[in-house]
Amino acid sequence: MGILQVYNSDKTEQNQIGDSVYQLIEELFPICRSITGDGVRETFSIIQKHIPLKVQEVPTGTQVFDWVIPQEWNIRDAYIKDKKGNKVVDFKKSNLHVLNYSQPINKTIALSELIKHIYTLPENPDWVPYRTSYYNPNWGFCMSHNQLTSMQDEVYDVFIDAEHTNGSLTYAEYYIPGTNKEEILVFTHCCHPSLCNDNLTGISLATFLAKSLSEKNLHYSYRFVFAPATIGSITWMSQNEESLGNIRHGLVIAVAGDNGCMTYKKTRNENSEIDRAVLHVLKNKGEKFDVMDFSPWGYDERQFNSPGINLPVGRLTRTPNGCYPEYHTSADNLDLIHQSALVDTYTTYMKVFYVLENNKTYINNSPKGEPQLGKRGLYRNTGGHRDIENRQLALLWVLNLSDGDNSLLDIAERSGLTFDILVNAALDLTDCGLLIDKNASA
Amino acid sequence: MGILQVYNSDKTEQNQIGDSVYQLIEELFPICRSITGDGVRETFSIIQKHIPLKVQEVPTGTQVFDWVIPQEWNIRDAYIKDKKGNKVVDFKKSNLHVLNYSQPINKTIALSELIKHIYTLPENPDWVPYRTSYYNPNWGFCMSHNQLTSMQDEVYDVFIDAEHTNGSLTYAEYYIPGTNKEEILVFTHCCHPSLCNDNLTGISLATFLAKSLSEKNLHYSYRFVFAPATIGSITWMSQNEESLGNIRHGLVIAVAGDNGCMTYKKTRNENSEIDRAVLHVLKNKGEKFDVMDFSPWGYDERQFNSPGINLPVGRLTRTPNGCYPEYHTSADNLDLIHQSALVDTYTTYMKVFYVLENNKTYINNSPKGEPQLGKRGLYRNTGGHRDIENRQLALLWVLNLSDGDNSLLDIAERSGLTFDILVNAALDLTDCGLLIDKNASA
Amino acid sequence: MGILQVYNSDKTEQNQIGDSVYQLIEELFPICRSITGDGVRETFSIIQKHIPLKVQEVPTGTQVFDWVIPQEWNIRDAYIKDKKGNKVVDFKKSNLHVLNYSQPINKTIALSELIKHIYTLPENPDWVPYRTSYYNPNWGFCMSHNQLTSMQDEVYDVFIDAEHTNGSLTYAEYYIPGTNKEEILVFTHCCHPSLCNDNLTGISLATFLAKSLSEKNLHYSYRFVFAPATIGSITWMSQNEESLGNIRHGLVIAVAGDNGCMTYKKTRNENSEIDRAVLHVLKNKGEKFDVMDFSPWGYDERQFNSPGINLPVGRLTRTPNGCYPEYHTSADNLDLIHQSALVDTYTTYMKVFYVLENNKTYINNSPKGEPQLGKRGLYRNTGGHRDIENRQLALLWVLNLSDGDNSLLDIAERSGLTFDILVNAALDLTDCGLLIDKNASA
């Protein structure tokens, strides 16, 4: 096993991974998660069957930068019952029906009063929206707009058996050591209840990417963090501030299983090595992809790219948050995601890791004119041909630009050659002594 | 009154300003101006009814950089009379008929001789051209080409009652102090006789922009300079060289009342703050506009942008000099300009001043992750929505980029949000202590 | 004679040069050249009838950077004879028939064995390919594919009367001193046998460019180098390493007589002065041209641009190597080249030399505002005109940008004016004392 095997293109292995990723999503789907509570703990416990997640609890009331860990929320049951005793909506059928972080309630009220606490999507009348009220005490229900319009003007029993208690916020991480203590961070948010693309796909892919990397020899160390969105990433940064300096590159993985194309959102710096590595991979995959400039709106990349943290963390998703109609609704379910898309996302991430792992800067040991490649068996014997193969062109590019200022990714960008053909050229040239690793030489 | 009120969008006030600007142009139109002489003095005297212009006289013979103030020119009368005693052209009907700065003459000559001193526009045979001969002693008349071709081959009395005397070059300025001694320069040339768009529009707009600014609380100090083109700006710079260093931004205002679109000509540096401020305003007005790269040909911006002066002075006009057919002809009269265009130019300038006045750099006091805006009443209470309002997005952008390196204009350019929504976000964030003015903090 | 006369646009002289260039190509065409041997010496001897080439011999076995000078190769005769005694191919009819650098052979073998040593071009069955085997001992013949397919399955006498002996590699140079010891390098490869466009055109044009320059007063010194491709340029650099630092600009001249458009390949730096000078000339010629980014594949520019040498040497050709079908075949003969194309290439080179010779940086002695050009006879006397002539605009641009940071080429690029109008403006301004040469002032 060597550094070059981070990316494994074996189709059988990919299909096995596709099965595993999908099955874990199915298993996690019914759980009611939130930014705190037992749903998150149950989720981590299931992931621990695959990777040795280390779970952390941060108590209610802890100051985390500008924020304070809120009371923990747990819910057992909730429903609206009409006067005949029929449950109009039932938390046990879908946890989306309750406004996430709702206060408990148990009373009988008229529809005219109840309706102030009901959230629907008139533009998609069959779907139930996902709504939250983490920091503003409130109670509420979400339902399809069609269901709301069919409700009689009568009194209803509303019941939410939830509690807010001093407890903790729960996050988890898995650290995979490489030969270098510099880290690649992969972050995924784990606070959404029964929503599939956003973000069980990110959770499950992060699990199996981590599992696969843990079986390889790595240059970088990798840190996979599973935490609630916003307050979770802020909590994690706050609790681990002294070691953030080890992070060299990062990606937020989410919304990773729909049929849309891969979409990369750049870091705040917009020309970080992670930006260039991802773009090189996407450009060379031969499929449509989208690129977004950085903005401070989206997922947890906005926290990592805040001015006082300023880590080069990009976001690599499929269709981004808010850009597909099923986003944050009951239609973001198992039907929305596809095993082929999950495998494609997985493969893309592995290719990015491959680039980062191998993106070295070399120095040409024979920099005056071209060295004679023929006598080293690296060049064809007959001269006079019209064309040159990419394999030989890669040798010439690596030699020409290896002046200590250009990494292999720089050379890939300038030459138009693929990264892997340049990696192989660099290895061949290193083997015959024409090239040395700049860091090794220092 | 505060810094935010530099730009006043009140339609009634704008219409009043439109009336005032137009009326001043009408009043100034008949006067025969030149680079020196009583026409300029009379013009300044009329402007003084609106703003307290300080008038300066620089004597004939004074060295101003590479130039010397010429003798002063004044003219009382001029005509060409045919043998029947009919005046073919008459200075009293239009001061354009005389070559500006003509020597006096009083003699009877044949058409064949006279024609060497006559200027026409064969391509626009009904129009009288505007021609000058400031530094090459000469005499001459300008007339329509149709009139020239109808002249009989006979002798004519030519009469120009003008004199060149030791006197002075006259310029004027109005200084409006702000809280900061750094200045914004607004320059307009005042040497053209009865030409309307070029440049009574610039003179009148400068007058009323100055008047309006003088009634507001200002960060910058403003200096409005009215002087002849070329030698006038050179004279002003030469006489005020020691204080040029206070000028932080500048604009030449001219040709400002025709129906063409706003046209900005960049400074020599081409990426000065004034360039960026004007372009932000023009892009966000929602109307067609043109941008020209700097060139050393045009109006007095070429003097301010000369290599030994090198002040960031752009030029903001409507249709630029030389780009409309009526330019420097008798057709550049009151019919060419429109009150709506004058108001539009006025408004555009005020928006530019608004950007300059408010373009501060702030520092985020809570830079690690996003601060919790909800608890400060700056964020909606329910979560899970697909979209975010620009007002909230502006808060996030200002927080994210306020690391001390980005001004609000930088943030506007990067975010695509308008400058004023960012100003308001910065004020809200400052009010709740999340942001401080970088200069105030130093 | 002065520096401004490097480029001579005299049509009669150009036609004479066209004749001379073409005749030299015809004279050199039959000679069998290689990377070593008497063909190269004979070629240099003929060139010496036009310019005083200094010929250098570098012995077999000499280490030249990573390479070693091989044994010298000379050939007297070669053929394949069928059993009737007919010569199937005959070196004396075309030297392309022998694999260049072939080992000697003299035996009778079956077609099935012979065919392993035969090179053809099935896609162009009438043409004979040019093939070499400099460093891998081998023997072989090149022929048309049609001829190969018509050969009977019988035995053949194969005969190559060649020898590899300890001798030397031969190169030549012509140094033309200017007033400055900084050099412009012009390199052309001289190792190809009877191939015309590649590269007798380069050899002959280099000869007559050098001859013409030697008759002029020059700012730069010029060094014309004639050497074999790859090992020849490497040998020359290795033998002259201590003086390479004098080279300020360089061009590789080759494939210079076909009817394709001029094609410039940039230096490794891609924004060297030579890149900008060539592009200015090509853009202002008013004819189609191509520009290629640098790549380490091509002619000897790859050696000069290697990381340990890193000289700004571009390549200016017509249709580049490998991009025309006749490349490295018997069809690259006298029919492929045209006297008009040779003259056009010659003229383009001379224009590039003109730019380099005159690309000075000046300092405006009167930098505050514009100096008064009228009193120096450099400006028209009547004012008020709509337009300005390029000749006067050039004066203003040179004055405005001559702050010590901009060369005339910088000013040409920014103003859009042609280089020669700016040169003349700079001379006029220097004559009247408004401008000084930055280097002369130091």
Side-chain angles (χ1 to χ4, degrees), chain B residues 295-428:
Chain B
S295 85
W297 171 241
Y299 286 137
D300 293 277
E301 66 279 1
R302 47 203 268 211
Q303 308 309 332
F304 300 116
N305 286 279
S306 60
I309 302 293
N310 206 21
L311 288 173
V313 177
R315 189 187 73 188
L316 182 54
T317 65
R318 300 193 76 86
T319 306
N321 56 311
C323 297
Y324 57 101
E326 301 88 350
Y327 172 79
H328 279 195
T329 76
S330 56
D332 184 354
N333 57 31
L334 287 162
D335 293 338
L336 187 67
I337 65 167
H338 302 274
Q339 199 159 325
S340 58
L342 292 165
V343 170
D344 184 60
T345 305
Y346 176 90
T347 305
T348 306
Y349 268 83
M350 277 298 192
K351 287 183 174 179
V352 172
F353 297 145
Y354 172 83
V355 172
L356 295 172
E357 288 279 322
N358 291 285
N359 187 25
K360 294 186 184 175
T361 297
Y362 292 90
I363 294 180
N364 179 344
N365 269 334
S366 181
K368 296 178 181 175
E370 288 170 15
Q372 193 176 3
L373 297 176
K375 71 184 182 194
R376 296 172 174 94
L378 294 174
Y379 217 72
R380 60 188 170 200
N381 288 322
T382 314
H385 301 273
R386 170 186 304 280
D387 300 319
I388 184 171
E389 293 171 2
N390 278 349
R391 197 177 56 83
Q392 295 196 340
L393 198 53
L395 296 168
L396 297 178
W397 271 109
V398 169
L399 287 167
N400 188 276
L401 291 181
S402 288
D403 54 6
D405 287 336
N406 297 290
S407 71
L408 289 187
L409 189 52
D410 292 320
I411 300 174
E413 290 174 345
R414 181 156 178 190
S415 68
L417 296 170
T418 60
F419 190 81
D420 61 329
I421 204 169
L422 292 166
V423 169
N424 285 296
L427 289 178
D428 284 348

Side-chain angles (χ1 to χ4, degrees), chain A residues 313-381:
Chain A
V313 176
R315 189 186 73 188
L316 183 54
T317 65
R318 299 192 79 85
T319 306
N321 56 311
C323 296
Y324 57 100
E326 301 88 350
Y327 172 78
H328 279 196
T329 76
S330 56
D332 184 353
N333 57 32
L334 287 162
D335 294 340
L336 187 67
I337 67 166
H338 302 273
Q339 199 160 324
S340 58
L342 292 165
V343 170
D344 183 60
T345 306
Y346 175 91
T347 305
T348 306
Y349 267 83
M350 278 299 192
K351 287 183 174 179
V352 172
F353 297 144
Y354 172 84
V355 171
L356 294 173
E357 288 278 322
N358 290 286
N359 187 26
K360 293 186 184 175
T361 297
Y362 291 91
I363 293 179
N364 179 344
N365 269 334
S366 181
K368 295 177 181 175
E370 287 170 15
Q372 193 176 4
L373 297 176
K375 72 183 180 192
R376 295 172 174 94
L378 293 175
Y379 217 73
R380 59 189 170 200
N381 288 322

Side-chain angles (χ1 to χ4, degrees), chain A residues 364 366-372 375-376 379 381-386 388 393 396-397 399-401 403 414, chain C residues 65-67 131-132 135-136 234 241 268 270 294-297 302-303 305-309 322 324-325 328:
Chain A
N364 179 344
S366 181
K368 295 177 181 175
E370 287 170 15
Q372 193 176 4
K375 72 183 180 192
R376 295 172 174 94
Y379 217 73
N381 288 322
T382 315
H385 301 273
R386 169 186 306 278
I388 183 171
L393 199 54
L396 298 178
W397 271 109
L399 286 167
N400 188 276
L401 292 181
D403 54 6
R414 181 157 178 190
Chain C
F65 295 148
D66 187 60
W67 302 60
R131 290 288 177 272
T132 69
Y135 303 104
N136 187 48
I234 287 170
E241 191 174 1
R268 182 172 183 262
E270 301 213 332
F294 176 75
S295 84
W297 171 242
R302 46 202 268 212
Q303 308 308 331
N305 286 279
S306 60
I309 302 295
Y324 58 100
H328 280 196

Side-chain angles (χ1 to χ4, degrees), chain C residues 140-197:
Chain C
F141 288 89
C142 302
M143 64 176 69
S144 76
H145 198 68
N146 285 340
Q147 188 171 23
L148 175 64
T149 54
S150 70
M151 282 172 76
Q152 303 296 317
D153 187 4
E154 57 180 42
V155 296
Y156 291 89
D157 294 335
V158 296
F159 178 69
I160 299 177
D161 180 13
E163 61 187 9
H164 294 75
T165 56
N166 288 336
S168 57
L169 178 147
T170 313
Y171 71 78
E173 56 186 317
Y174 177 28
Y175 177 75
I176 307 166
T179 57
N180 194 308
K181 75 165 192 167
E182 290 186 314
E183 296 178 14
I184 295 177
L185 172 70
V186 180
F187 181 93
T188 198
H189 60 274
C190 62
C191 49
H192 288 185
S194 295
L195 295 171
C196 200
N197 198 30

Side-chain angles (χ1 to χ4, degrees), chain C residues 402-421:
Chain C
S402 287
D403 54 6
D405 287 335
N406 296 291
S407 71
L408 289 187
L409 189 52
D410 293 320
I411 300 173
E413 290 173 345
R414 181 156 177 190
S415 68
L417 296 170
T418 60
F419 191 81
D420 61 329
I421 205 168

